Structures are given as structure tokens and as C-alpha cells.
Amino acid sequence: MKLGILGGTFNPIHYGHLRAVEEVREMLELDKILFIPSGKPSFKKPELADARHRFKMTGIAVKGSPHFGISDIELKRRGVSYSVDTLGRLTAQYKNAEFFLVLGIDAFLDLPSWKQPDKLLSLANLVIISRPGFSFINLLTSPYLKTVHKKTMERLDKADVPDFYKSKNVFLCKITGLDVSASSIRRLIRDGKSLKYLLPDSVESYIISNKLYKGSEK
Ligand code: ATP
């Protein structure tokens, strides 16, 4: 089984996440995508909804696809969850799976500050996806992308249809650009604006009924 992994805070989950992994799933012929909402951070982060709410919203959103699933592996863990530990536990759990770790360019740029990035990359194929505001060419200096040439990055940055490049266990995927972020959604909520067409209606209803992101929730 080819298993895609998308970790995130999902604060809240939106169509930028959902469409991205749907395209990756089709392009790389993955069998399933597992969404992994992060648990409680070690220090209080302003605007971060409780892990239970983020888990529930993600669960509601992924219900729409038979190919999507959700894992509570980070929710259940006490203390900080490091991706390398999460992936290590998942590889032990899904013995017959080949893993594809999906990261937006922005997330990949942070990789050097993560715990044991080399070990993390040894556990899975790496799938870097495009995101509006970021270019593959920004990855040129990354110590973790030595086998990808500048010309390939430039070609993908210019591509106007979904496309991908593979080099060993690294994939660069140019996907349809949806300029949506959880932070822009939280800003719209604070400003009392509509969220329609940025995230599933069911997630919007959950946010409204639980009064999330209005500044008063824990
Ligand atoms: P925030 O705005 O709060 O920082 P976010 O929208 O970036 O949140 P995360 O939960 O931090 O969402 O993202 C999880 C993963 O999904 C990351 O790898 C991120 O790069 C990717 N991602 C999020 N939004 C998009 C998008 N619109 N297009 C492509 N990838 C995305």
C-alpha cells in the first residue's frame, strides 16, 4: 500500500490542504492519505484551537473521500510530537506500507530546525508540493535536495498544469495553486467575514457552533 501522510496544525483544515493531497494522490497513484493533526504544543500558542477541536474538524473534512483517513497518533501522545517519532511509530504500525511524507514548500524550508531530519527522510519518500507565495527555486540551497537541478525547479515553477518530477525518493509536485491558509481564515473570522468556498461547509458550521477563533476560546 502506498500511504501519503499530511501532518499539520489544521487550525482549521481548508481546501488548500484537501485539494493538494487529492492531486498528489492521483499524480503519484497513492492508495490512501492519512491526515495527522498535531497535538498540544509544549507552550501556549495564541490562536491555536484545542487539539480536540482541530482533530474533529479534520475528521469532518476528510469524511468526504474514501481515500482519506485521519490518525489520532499525535493527539494521544503526551508532550511535544516530533514528526520523526510519529513516522517511526507509523512504519511499525503499517508494516506493508510505503510512506510518502507530503510537505508544502514552506514546511520543507523549516526542515533543518526539525528533530533528526535525516532520519525522518530515511523513513519515507519525500513529496514537496507547491504553494502560492513560495517557489521550488527557493529550495536550491537546501541540504536535503541535492539531487534536484535548478532547471527542473524553474520548469515546475513555470508549469501551469499539475506536474511532478521524481529523483530517487524525492518528488516535487506542482499542483493547482489555491492561495488559502488557516491564518487568512482565522483573520476572516475575526473580521466577521464569510468563509464560504475556502473550507467545507461542515467545518464552517463546526467553527460557528463552537465559537472558535473569536479570541475567547481556549
Ligand atoms: P497557518 O496559516 O496557520 O500557518 P496553514 O494553512 O499553513 O496554517 P498547516 O496546518 O500549517 O496549514 O499546513 C499543513 C501542511 O499543508 C503544510 O505542509 C503546508 O505547507 C501545507 N499547506 C497548507 N496550505 C496549503 C496550500 N494552500 N497549498 C499547498 N499546501 C498547503
Side-chain angles (χ1 to χ4, degrees):
M1 178 177 58
K2 291 164 94 177
L3 184 57
I5 302 288
L6 183 70
T9 48
F10 301 121
N11 186 40
I13 190 162
H14 51 71
Y15 282 136
H17 300 121
L18 292 159
R19 180 67 202 173
V21 284
E22 178 65 357
E23 291 191 11
V24 167
R25 185 186 69 75
E26 281 198 317
M27 272 198 270
L28 307 187
E29 299 180 337
L30 307 185
D31 298 292
K32 192 171 174 176
I33 302 283
L34 206 52
F35 288 71
I36 308 192
S38 61
K40 207 175 173 170
S42 52
F43 51 94
K44 196 167 158 40
K45 275 193 179 170
E47 286 207 313
L48 185 66
D50 188 278
R52 281 172 304 116
H53 284 311
R54 293 183 289 106
F55 182 81
K56 279 199 186 149
M57 290 188 280
T58 307
I60 294 170
V62 304
K63 252 193 197 155
S65 167
H67 304 289
F68 290 174
I70 179 168
S71 166
D72 61 3
I73 190 165
E74 294 203 351
L75 185 81
K76 280 191 173 158
R77 217 175 147 86
R78 275 160 205 247
V80 201
S81 305
Y82 294 103
S83 300
V84 66
D85 300 329
T86 301
L87 207 56
R89 292 170 73 213
L90 286 173
T91 51
Q93 196 178 327
Y94 293 85
K95 288 227 160 43
N96 296 320
E98 183 186 1
F99 286 85
F100 292 77
L101 180 66
V102 181
L103 295 174
I105 294 178
D106 55 318
F108 179 78
L109 286 168
D110 276 348
L111 197 67
S113 67
W114 293 15
K115 182 183 166 189
Q116 297 179 307
D118 289 298
K119 183 173 174 203
L120 176 67
L121 299 180
S122 72
L123 295 171
N125 296 287
L126 171 66
V127 181
I128 308 174
I129 54 174
S130 56
R131 182 171 188 177
F134 300 87
S135 304
F136 286 116
I137 203 77
N138 297 148
L139 307 178
L140 206 55
T141 52
S142 168
Y144 302 104
L145 264 193
K146 294 221 171 77
T147 59
V148 185
H149 296 293
K150 187 178 174 198
K151 275 200 169 150
T152 305
M153 295 177 177
E154 283 171 342
R155 177 176 65 73
L156 284 174
D157 280 332
K158 279 192 206 127
D160 47 15
V161 288
D163 193 5
F164 75 95
Y165 170 82
K166 175 183 187 317
S167 167
K168 294 191 180 151
N169 63 340
V170 175
F171 296 79
L172 302 190
C173 292
K174 177 67 178 269
I175 55 170
T176 304
L178 293 185
D179 198 357
V180 188
S181 66
S183 33
S184 62
I185 289 174
R186 295 194 301 273
R187 193 173 325 116
L188 290 173
I189 297 170
R190 283 199 305 276
D191 294 347
K193 298 262 173 64
S194 164
L195 306 183
K196 254 194 167 340
Y197 315 119
L198 295 174
L199 38 63
D201 288 346
S202 49
V203 175
E204 182 181 2
S205 303
Y206 186 95
I207 291 172
I208 294 168
S209 51
N210 288 281
K211 302 186 176 63
L212 299 183
Y213 308 117
K214 291 207 162 279
S216 57
E217 81 280 358
K218 300 242 159 50

